[in-house]
Amino acid sequence: MKIIKAMCFGMAVAGLLQLGVAHAQVREHTIKFAFQNQKEHPQGQGAQKFADLVAQKSGNKIAVKLFAGGTLGGDLQTVSALQGGTVEMTVLNAGLLSGLVKEFAALDLPFLFNNPQEADAVIDGPFGKKLFDKLPEKSLVGLGYWDLGFRSVTNNKRPITKVEDMEGIKLRVLQSPVYIDMFNALGANAVPMPFPEVYTALEQHAVDGQENPATTILASKFYEVQKYFSITRHIYNPQALIVSKKLWDQLNADERKIIVNAANEATAFQRKLSRDSDQSAIDALKKNGMQVNEVSAAEMARFRDKVKPVVAKAAQTIGEASVSELNAEIAKARKK
């Protein structure tokens, strides 16, 4: 019995020593993680999940400090900070990276995906990997793709029930050529603007409306300054979870493994949360006084026809080969 007890004690000590050796390879780091939405939004909750996982897996040696609500600047400003190494992480609409890697703009093409599962198949496959493989030369490293959801339109002028209703509406859009061209083609006056400025612009009537997923509209309290919410689902947004290459190059193999594993787990958590929250966000917007309407299938077909020249123009910039590859991957996903 004494021998067995001694063996058990020895094994326990060996286990603790091994744990100590593993943690000895993990040094102390603080990672600044900035993003545009509020902490309550699925984006913010995904970031918190990632931070918790990193703390747990690193034995609290790596701390992820969250900066929500665009407190460190808009998306493009934050990406620039990542490249310079003054901020270490962010998550943003993948299409916004098109200024660095033009092929990312393919993910902003209107009416591309029928559902999030198609998007997952594409961005988790060779196409999404190929995009991330182009980031290190831009001083960034891709860790995964999160979900923002399908975008729809809000405004204070009128419900959008047909293409003609877009005419003359001054609409805040992402700082992306595809968004600008798309809404101008639909008859709106597209106003590109960083996200942190949107609420004030709506409140002061500098713009009439904006377009975002229901979860973002709810979390940002746009219902306080917007009357109509028209469900158009014109673009689906995969979001890129990225880290500064300057930080990445400083991490050893054990530290990188912690970050990658935490990112993978947080990605699965965030996607499910975001998609589960979509309908409840729409219901909450109604309760908060917004007039919500669905756009009919027939009218949405007219929207698609109206933006076909925008898609053709974007394909020339992005590269016909990349757009064809993307469409082939979508077709493959639809057959499964």
Side-chain angles (χ1 to χ4, degrees), residues 112-166:
L112 197 62
F113 301 110
N114 290 329
N115 54 62
Q117 290 69 38
E118 288 180 4
D120 289 350
V122 171
I123 59 180
D124 291 342
F127 189 84
K129 183 179 184 302
K130 185 180 287 188
L131 294 180
F132 271 171
D133 286 346
K134 295 176 183 289
L135 287 179
E137 64 188 59
K138 304 297 182 182
S139 300
L140 303 169
V141 174
L143 295 176
Y145 291 96
W146 286 9
D147 175 275
L148 190 68
F150 282 97
R151 304 177 77 90
S152 291
V153 176
T154 71
N155 81 101
N156 279 327
K157 291 286 188 181
R158 54 188 167 271
I160 306 301
T161 61
K162 56 187 182 298
V163 173
E164 290 78 9
D165 292 330
M166 294 294 303

Side-chain angles (χ1 to χ4, degrees), residues 19-336:
L19 184 63
V21 169
H23 277 174
Q25 304 305 314
V26 179
R27 299 160 298 171
E28 292 191 356
H29 296 277
T30 298
I31 296 173
K32 295 191 288 293
F33 186 168
F35 49 94
Q36 299 303 302
N37 279 291
Q38 303 301 320
K39 285 186 177 181
E40 300 77 19
H41 185 274
Q43 186 188 66
Q45 292 188 55
Q48 185 63 60
K49 182 71 170 179
F50 173 78
D52 293 343
L53 287 166
V54 168
Q56 174 192 327
K57 294 174 185 295
S58 69
N60 290 316
K61 286 189 175 180
I62 303 177
V64 179
K65 189 174 182 181
L66 305 183
F67 294 86
T71 53
L72 298 187
D75 280 317
L76 300 183
Q77 185 180 351
T78 303
V79 169
S80 180
L82 260 70
Q83 291 176 299
T86 56
V87 176
E88 286 76 34
M89 283 189 70
T90 192
V91 59
L92 77 164
N93 293 338
L96 284 171
L97 295 172
S98 61
L100 302 174
V101 176
K102 64 180 183 178
E103 290 85 356
F104 271 102
L107 298 177
D108 269 349
L109 293 176
F111 307 110
L112 197 62
F113 301 110
N114 290 329
N115 54 62
Q117 290 69 38
E118 288 180 4
D120 289 350
V122 171
I123 59 180
D124 291 342
F127 189 84
K129 183 179 184 302
K130 185 180 287 188
L131 294 180
F132 271 171
D133 286 346
K134 295 176 183 289
L135 287 179
E137 64 188 59
K138 304 297 182 182
S139 300
L140 303 169
V141 174
L143 295 176
Y145 291 96
W146 286 9
D147 175 275
L148 190 68
F150 282 97
R151 304 177 77 90
S152 291
V153 176
T154 71
N155 81 101
N156 279 327
K157 291 286 188 181
R158 54 188 167 271
I160 306 301
T161 61
K162 56 187 182 298
V163 173
E164 290 78 9
D165 292 330
M166 294 294 303
E167 192 67 36
I169 291 178
K170 191 180 288 187
L171 197 75
R172 178 270 172 178
V173 300
L174 280 174
Q175 296 162 288
S176 162
V178 174
Y179 283 78
I180 297 167
D181 289 346
M182 174 185 177
F183 282 101
N184 284 341
L186 291 172
N189 296 323
V191 181
M193 183 186 299
F195 187 77
E197 300 175 15
V198 177
Y199 185 97
T200 301
L202 293 169
E203 186 177 38
Q204 296 179 351
H205 307 293
V207 293
D208 302 315
Q210 59 85 54
E211 44 84 49
N212 259 301
T215 52
T216 300
I217 295 165
L218 178 65
S220 303
K221 298 184 179 180
F222 289 157
Y223 55 81
E224 295 177 344
V225 288
Q226 293 280 267
K227 185 174 182 180
Y228 304 107
F229 175 51
S230 302
I231 301 174
T232 53
R233 299 187 184 275
H234 48 272
I235 289 177
Y236 171 80
N237 279 149
Q239 295 210 302
L241 178 66
I242 56 177
V243 62
S244 166
K245 189 173 183 294
K246 188 171 182 179
L247 169 69
W248 196 248
D249 290 343
Q250 295 170 1
L251 300 178
N252 63 37
D254 290 335
E255 293 160 352
R256 288 184 181 183
K257 184 177 180 181
I258 287 168
I259 298 298
V260 168
N261 288 343
N264 289 341
E265 290 182 41
T267 295
F269 167 85
Q270 193 278 338
R271 285 179 179 178
K272 185 177 188 307
L273 176 66
S274 180
R275 291 159 190 175
D276 289 348
S277 302
D278 183 63
Q279 186 56 53
S280 60
I282 293 172
D283 294 339
L285 291 172
K286 291 178 182 178
K287 289 179 182 176
N288 278 286
M290 292 195 82
Q291 294 184 29
V292 179
N293 70 283
E294 291 266 6
V295 181
S296 71
E299 284 300 322
M300 289 313 304
R302 294 184 65 218
F303 274 78
R304 288 187 178 90
D305 286 340
K306 197 83 170 175
V307 300
K308 280 180 180 177
V310 175
V311 175
K313 176 186 173 183
Q316 291 179 351
T317 303
I318 297 163
E320 297 284 355
S322 291
V323 174
S324 295
E325 183 182 352
L326 173 58
N327 287 328
E329 290 295 319
I330 294 172
K332 193 187 301 180
R334 286 174 182 168
K335 289 179 181 177
K336 290 182 179 179

